[in-house]
């Protein structure tokens, strides 16, 4: 039977939706995505979650609730690990339990457990078990898995080539409309900053994908930086080899996948001659970010050229005006460092 599967536009949707969509569509299912994050979405998530939850988890609940009336199932994977000997944040491991407990209005949750920490066998078993919910034909599931793999590879290539996830999904025809990041005037920016030599200011932007690529949670920072005249580079544009090489400089291996990626990209950005300023967007109440931010802060002080480094922490109370003022000051300092 054909079912409609709803995907909350939050958390690791920004990395894995293309693969999951390819998988389910190959099995004849219909995939729909919740709308962009808005204040109403956040408010509905806040109403059902505990205060201690981080903003992205609250947003996920709001997105999941927005799909409850229109979908047969809402996709809430239990993400334990996406690579050997490394893990995803515990809040994502417990996400289906949280959503079941907090969102009684959601009829059915589709919650495959993704755990690649030891080997890929358990992961394959889970993918086939998920496929069997929709077909008894093993070959079809195998073909769907292959299509998901190819789609993921094409998507990852577009990210490395410089596209943001929503734009890459649109390019692959996986979303109907590109993200609307707002016009210059609606973002409160009148004059782009001018670099005083012949090259643009380069800013390394760090942050979890569900913050920096979500224009509401991330306060449109990526677009604001671009409108201020900066060329923005994110960790997704770096090769995995560069990230691993840099992250290996940490005395102890960071076993959180995204934390390690942030650290590796941050160490790389803070080397002389790579970027003119490095900005970390973090969520209040995020455990992994608390120490990653500290490591990067120390590295920026130690580094030979002292690349300007700033952290912006967002929560449901973050005001736009305060962020804009800090961004302008950051651009100003980065320009001065560029001219040194
Ligand atoms: S890594 Fe941080 S921001 Fe992401 S879900 Fe975990 S606590 Fe929240």
């Amino acid at each position: 039977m054909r079912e409609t599967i709803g995907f909350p536009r939050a958390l690791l949707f920004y990395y894995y939706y293309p693969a999951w969509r390819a998988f389910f569509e190959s099995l004849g299912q219909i995939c729909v995505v919740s709308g962009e994050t808005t204040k109403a979405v956040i408010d509905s998530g806040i109403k059902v979650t505990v205060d201690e939850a981080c903003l992205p988890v609250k947003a996920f609940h709001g997105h999941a609730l927005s799909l409850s009336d229109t979908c047969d199932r809402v996709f809430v994977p239990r993400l334990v690990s996406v690579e050997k000997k490394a893990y995803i944040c515990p809040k994502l491991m417990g996400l289906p339990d949280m959503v079941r407990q907090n969102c009684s209005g959601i009829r059915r949750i589709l919650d495959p457990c993704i755990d690649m920490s030891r080997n890929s066998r358990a992961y394959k078993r889970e993918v086939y078990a998920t496929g069997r919910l929709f077909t008894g034909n093993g070959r079809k599931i195998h073909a769907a898995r292959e299509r998901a793999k190819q789609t993921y590879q094409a998507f990852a290539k577009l990210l490395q080539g410089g596209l943001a996830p929503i734009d890459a999904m649109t390019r692959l025809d996986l979303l109907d409309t590109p993200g609307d990041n707002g016009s210059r005037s609606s973002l409160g920016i009148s004059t782009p900053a001018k670099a005083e030599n012949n090259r643009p200011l380069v800013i390394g932007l760090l942050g979890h994908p569900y913050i920096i690529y979500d224009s509401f949670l991330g306060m449109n920072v990526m677009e604001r930086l671009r409108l201020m005249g900066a060329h923005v580079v994110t960790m997704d544009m770096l090769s995995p080899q560069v990230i691993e090489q840099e992250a290996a400089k940490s005395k102890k291996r960071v076993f959180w996948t995204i934390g390690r990626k942030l650290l590796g990209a941050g160490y790389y950005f803070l080397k002389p001659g790579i970027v003119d300023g490095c900005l970390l967007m973090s969520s209040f109440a995020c455990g992994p970010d608390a120490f990653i931010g500290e490591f990067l802060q120390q590295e920026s002080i130690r580094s030979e050229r002292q690349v300007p480094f700033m952290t912006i922490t967002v929560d449901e109370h973050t005001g736009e005006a305060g962020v804009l003022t800090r961004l302008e000051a950051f651009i100003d300092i980065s320009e001065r460092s560029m001219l040194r």
Side-chain angles (χ1 to χ4, degrees):
M1 200 184 85
R2 219 161 179 224
E3 290 191 13
T4 303
I5 303 170
F7 286 79
R9 190 187 290 240
L11 295 176
L12 291 184
F13 157 86
Y14 287 93
Y15 281 166
Y16 300 117
Y17 172 66
W20 282 110
R21 173 168 167 157
F23 180 76
F24 289 119
E25 280 194 344
S26 298
L27 298 177
Q29 308 308 305
I30 302 163
C31 298
V32 298
V33 178
S34 58
E36 290 189 19
T37 307
T38 59
K39 184 161 182 330
V41 169
I42 302 277
D43 286 347
S44 70
I46 288 173
K47 266 191 206 146
V48 296
T49 46
V50 291
D51 288 347
E52 290 73 19
C54 61
L55 184 61
V57 164
K58 289 174 180 164
F60 187 93
H61 279 74
H63 279 281
L65 284 168
S66 75
L67 293 162
S68 58
D69 290 339
T70 47
C71 300
D72 298 305
R73 302 178 196 243
V74 177
F75 187 70
V76 188
R78 187 183 301 283
L79 282 169
V80 177
S81 161
V82 292
E83 58 178 341
K84 270 192 188 164
K85 294 184 183 167
Y87 297 89
I88 296 291
C89 164
K91 285 180 182 153
L92 300 200
M93 296 182 196
L95 198 60
D97 306 317
M98 273 194 262
V99 173
R100 262 195 197 97
Q101 176 72 25
N102 299 334
C103 307
S104 52
I106 298 180
R107 286 192 302 269
R108 282 197 296 173
I109 284 175
L110 183 54
D111 61 343
C113 175
I114 307 303
D115 183 358
M116 299 180 178
S117 57
R118 293 209 174 84
N119 55 53
S120 56
R121 274 201 304 272
Y123 165 68
K124 275 187 202 158
R125 263 201 310 274
E126 192 70 9
V127 170
Y128 279 89
T130 305
R132 274 196 296 276
L133 295 172
F134 304 100
T135 177
N137 186 332
R139 277 197 190 163
K140 261 192 171 176
I141 302 175
H142 178 76
R145 198 179 137 232
E146 284 304 304
R147 198 177 140 212
K149 213 158 114 186
Q150 285 160 10
T151 306
Y152 180 74
Q153 284 164 353
F155 174 69
K157 214 167 158 186
L158 289 176
L159 291 193
Q160 252 190 52
L163 284 188
I166 296 291
D167 297 328
M169 289 178 203
T170 310
R171 174 82 64 90
L172 292 172
D173 254 346
L174 301 172
L175 282 179
D176 297 334
T177 48
D180 174 11
N181 291 320
S183 64
R184 175 169 305 195
S185 57
S186 73
L187 294 175
I189 292 161
S190 48
T191 322
K194 285 191 196 85
E196 296 199 8
N197 57 18
N198 286 331
R199 69 165 178 86
L201 189 74
V202 182
I203 299 294
L205 178 61
L206 297 169
H208 293 264
Y210 36 87
I211 297 178
I212 62 171
Y213 301 125
D214 181 315
S215 47
F216 192 88
L217 293 193
M219 311 292 293
N220 249 322
V221 159
M222 188 184 265
E223 192 58 14
R224 286 179 204 274
L225 287 170
R226 285 183 179 146
L227 293 175
M228 287 172 170
H231 175 69
V232 180
V233 190
T234 68
M235 63 182 185
D236 295 311
M237 297 175 196
L238 303 180
S239 77
Q241 290 80 0
V242 166
I243 289 181
E244 282 306 322
Q245 203 177 317
E246 294 297 324
K249 289 178 188 163
S250 158
K251 279 190 195 133
K252 201 171 169 205
R253 185 174 185 271
V254 175
F255 53 79
W256 304 117
T257 293
I258 298 185
R260 202 173 70 253
K261 204 169 159 181
L262 283 169
L263 192 68
Y267 280 166
Y268 180 68
F269 288 155
L270 293 171
K271 285 165 95 161
I274 307 292
V275 296
D276 302 302
C278 180
L279 174 63
L280 170 66
M281 295 286 298
S282 172
S283 165
F284 180 72
C286 173
D289 276 6
F291 69 87
I292 297 292
E294 188 58 35
F295 285 164
L296 293 178
Q297 183 76 58
Q298 288 174 11
E299 181 69 14
S300 78
I301 296 166
R302 265 198 307 260
S303 76
E304 223 176 284
R305 213 193 104 217
Q306 299 205 342
V307 177
F309 175 79
M310 182 172 83
T311 303
I312 292 183
T313 304
V314 289
D315 69 6
E316 53 269 44
H317 308 296
T318 305
E320 201 171 336
V323 169
L324 193 51
T325 308
R326 296 192 66 202
L327 272 188
E328 283 171 353
F330 175 68
I331 288 284
D332 205 32
I333 291 170
S334 301
E335 276 179 342
R336 284 186 215 178
S337 113
M338 179 186 187
L339 298 172
R340 274 207 307 256

